[in-house]
Amino acid sequence: MPKVTVDGQEIEVPAGATVLQACELAGKEIPRFCYHERLSIAGNCRMCLVEVKPGPPKPQASCALPAAEGQEIRTDSPMVKKAREGVMEFLLINHPLDCPICDQGGECDLQDQAVAYGRGGSRYHENKRAVTEKYMGPLIKTIMTRCIHCTRCVRFSEEIAGVDEIGALYRGEDMQITTYLEKAAAHELSANVIDLCPVGALTSRPYAFEARAWELKQTLSIDVSDAVGANITLHSKGREVMRALPRINDDVNEEWLSDKGRYQVDGLTKRRLDRVWVRRDGKLQPAEWTEAFGLIAGALEGDKAGIAAVAGDLLDAETMFAAKALVNACGSQLTEARQTGMTYDVSNLAAVNFNSTFAGIETADAILIVGSNVRWEAALLNVRLRKAVKAGAKVYIIGQEWDPTYPATFLGSDLKLLNRIPKELGDVMKSAQRPAVILGAAALAKGALPAALKLVDKFGLVREGWNGFNVLHISAARMASLMLGFTLPGGMGDIAAAKPKVLLSLAADEMDYAPYAKSLKVYIGHHGDKGAHHADIILPGASYAEKDGTYVNAEGRVQFAEKAVFAPGDAREDWTILRALADALGVTVGFDSFGALQAKMIAAVPALGEEGLADYGALPKADSGAKFEGELAGYPIKDFYLTNAIARASDVMQRCSDELLHGADVKEAAE
């Protein structure tokens, strides 16, 4: 490890570090625009200039200069200060001074650096450059006259997203950043370029002119649009969530966020259930809580055990625990969270977990994906797989073809193929040091889990320091529900067979309600979606943004989210509704506050009280007689932008679906 001196302070830096990184290790803040630690080095803004000896008698770009033994680095010399001021002056020659009307105002890197290195006035008296606006789709608003040619957006699209959609035209001062043929950026991570843009050239179209950064309250939360569990910050103003931005968590989402997780938040205020409804004479009519509770109690009179609960995909662990406590107190065991009808064995949670972890899958050198469109089911995991491929991994996919953004070999869609492993696949997997299998929801639905466990021994998926057997869920609530024992051996079939008198639908908007025609269907949720349309009684609940809660992602990582805003109207946090219902039914659930509920839940499942990866133990022994059967005709997600009730209520997500997936020409309406 080389030793360098930064402003008189001697430090040791890792081999291969740059001078910029060495300065940061020494606690020095180096201004930059083009440099980003997760992107390749461009070295084209020159803002990070420092003085280095031995070396030429001039400032050097610290982002592109390797740190070497014996270097003396100055970040505060008069030469450095003058050089940075010169760079800033050049950047401001063409950059419009429109901070008061720019959405980047208050969180702009150029603004911040201009305070430190900018002049009081401009010496440039010629005409400024102007650039015609580009169209980058329904999510990204462009004012390209503000662009400083840092190329962060270009490098993100090429290197991280793996989609060559954004590039540059012309050279020098005439250079322009644009999408290919000025079409919309159509990949699932496109809006991350807004965060990367150090100026106001790329801003959020849906958020344009809505609020200023300093007006917003920030709340730490978890994205529930998929099972990745991306760490986010909800920015709210009053009682409305204005935007969701990613938080840095290298183990989960790095610092990226899918477009759906970012932009579905406008659906939080639309199509909301904000009062109690009861169906009378075939029509839903407004009612009071006491009336609704009375009807539920009446339906169970004489047989409290005739109650069942089905959990939706967006639920927190506390809500599911409260529902299970209520159902169990009534003498029933009828709870299920796999609302679409899957029945895989959950007696060993290691068998249904993403054991490699999201960060760990980057180190795999051979990957077999079975029945998963990873790009739609977990867009941020696809970024990790792309990294693995760039490091040399080979990827094979069984299922209908999709564009993975990296080289991959599709082997067809017939699962029977895996009963006799093709030689090419077998050789690659067996010779790999860190082989991995990813089993998706489409394969689970075909009952492929028992047979997939045979691949553990066949490919040597488990070895010292490595577990390559992975199941990828698509529901944010799935792993928490499995940890809580919220499932039945026969899945939804067991609940239908029991013919419950009362069915509690906990925001279950994807289930089939046909088998429950004779049941009293009670919907506890936040949006007027499918579940509400089938309900006999609607009790308005809270969304993920309106309550504290515990979530467990697909890799078994326990994470906590905080309440950002209050639920609208008469809506209540779900656990309070279930607690009040317990009183109406005359049963005891053992908690009167959220703290007591959480404590009781943690006492029952201790792993839910500790942030981080839960320990599910070793994989079960595979059934030697299990066989792969069935054709994977498709994947569960048919429309990336409309997978849950919040997204379906979102105007932004609806527009993305119309324009980006179904080819609707809505560009003019947006302008």
Side-chain angles (χ1 to χ4, degrees), residues 348-413:
N348 185 316
L349 295 190
V352 290
N353 186 49
F354 201 94
N355 296 297
S356 299
T357 73
F358 296 151
I361 201 70
E362 293 180 14
T363 65
D365 49 359
I367 303 168
L368 171 64
I369 301 171
V370 185
S372 177
N373 179 346
V374 182
R375 191 169 163 183
W376 276 13
E377 294 171 11
L380 294 170
L381 174 61
N382 203 55
V383 171
R384 305 278 194 173
L385 297 179
R386 179 172 165 78
K387 283 188 186 180
V389 171
K390 288 173 78 174
K394 293 185 177 179
V395 177
Y396 298 87
I397 302 174
I398 294 177
Q400 296 287 314
E401 291 197 16
W402 49 279
D403 181 9
T405 73
Y406 42 80
T409 304
F410 283 85
L411 302 174
S413 56

Side-chain angles (χ1 to χ4, degrees), residues 216-535:
L216 303 175
K217 183 186 79 170
Q218 300 184 19
T219 307
L220 306 183
S221 189
I222 302 296
D223 173 37
V224 297
S225 65
D226 55 29
V228 173
N231 289 211
I232 60 174
T233 304
L234 295 176
H235 292 228
S236 57
K237 184 180 179 182
R239 300 188 63 164
E240 184 177 352
V241 175
M242 305 302 294
R243 61 180 181 176
L245 296 181
R247 282 188 285 135
I248 296 177
N249 187 326
D250 288 332
D251 293 327
V252 184
N253 57 301
E254 299 178 280
E255 59 185 88
W256 317 125
L257 183 59
S258 75
D259 290 350
K260 180 168 52 181
R262 185 186 296 264
Y263 283 115
Q264 68 175 8
V265 294
D266 79 304
L268 291 170
T269 58
K270 298 177 176 68
R271 295 170 57 184
R272 287 301 301 266
L273 300 172
D274 58 0
R275 64 181 306 172
V276 178
W277 298 85
V278 169
R279 194 175 295 277
R280 304 189 187 96
D281 301 324
K283 291 185 178 180
L284 287 169
Q285 297 180 3
E288 297 297 325
W289 289 95
T290 51
E291 181 187 358
F293 287 159
L295 290 170
I296 298 168
L300 290 172
E301 195 169 358
D303 184 18
K304 289 178 186 173
I307 189 171
V310 178
D313 290 346
L314 310 182
L315 285 188
D316 55 295
E318 287 82 359
T319 296
M320 289 185 282
F321 182 83
K324 191 171 190 294
L326 172 63
V327 170
N328 292 166
C330 291
S332 170
Q333 302 298 319
L334 298 174
T335 57
E336 182 56 67
R338 298 167 295 178
Q339 54 173 323
T340 55
M342 287 193 270
T343 58
Y344 49 84
D345 180 29
V346 296
S347 57
N348 185 316
L349 295 190
V352 290
N353 186 49
F354 201 94
N355 296 297
S356 299
T357 73
F358 296 151
I361 201 70
E362 293 180 14
T363 65
D365 49 359
I367 303 168
L368 171 64
I369 301 171
V370 185
S372 177
N373 179 346
V374 182
R375 191 169 163 183
W376 276 13
E377 294 171 11
L380 294 170
L381 174 61
N382 203 55
V383 171
R384 305 278 194 173
L385 297 179
R386 179 172 165 78
K387 283 188 186 180
V389 171
K390 288 173 78 174
K394 293 185 177 179
V395 177
Y396 298 87
I397 302 174
I398 294 177
Q400 296 287 314
E401 291 197 16
W402 49 279
D403 181 9
T405 73
Y406 42 80
T409 304
F410 283 85
L411 302 174
S413 56
D414 193 344
L415 284 172
K416 290 180 182 176
L417 176 81
L418 291 175
N419 292 325
R420 297 183 67 182
I421 306 293
K423 187 177 185 310
E424 180 196 5
L425 173 63
D427 290 347
V428 170
M429 296 296 287
K430 289 173 184 174
S431 62
Q433 297 299 306
R434 296 168 80 86
V437 169
I438 299 175
L439 199 69
L444 289 175
K446 288 290 184 182
L449 181 59
L453 285 167
K454 291 170 61 179
L455 301 177
V456 173
D457 290 335
K458 189 168 288 187
F459 294 153
L461 298 180
V462 178
R463 49 188 78 180
E464 184 70 30
W466 177 250
N467 186 335
F469 185 81
N470 303 294
V471 169
L472 179 59
H473 299 292
I474 59 176
S475 160
R478 183 70 74 247
M479 286 307 295
S481 72
L482 300 181
M483 291 173 73
L484 289 166
F486 209 87
T487 53
L488 297 168
M492 292 297 295
D494 285 358
I495 293 187
K499 298 179 179 178
K501 293 180 178 178
V502 172
L503 177 72
L504 297 180
S505 170
L506 307 171
D509 292 302
E510 319 303 328
M511 66 175 281
D512 179 12
Y513 284 89
Y516 310 98
K518 295 184 178 179
S519 303
L520 181 72
K521 295 175 283 297
V522 182
Y523 183 80
I524 304 174
H526 39 80
H527 275 81
D529 208 78
K530 180 180 176 181
H533 287 285
H534 286 87

Side-chain angles (χ1 to χ4, degrees), residues 145-162:
T145 300
R146 298 172 184 160
C147 178
I148 62 169
H149 303 164
C150 73
T151 68
R152 282 185 180 182
C153 54
V154 177
R155 285 175 283 148
F156 172 84
S157 297
E158 292 178 353
E159 298 165 12
I160 307 297

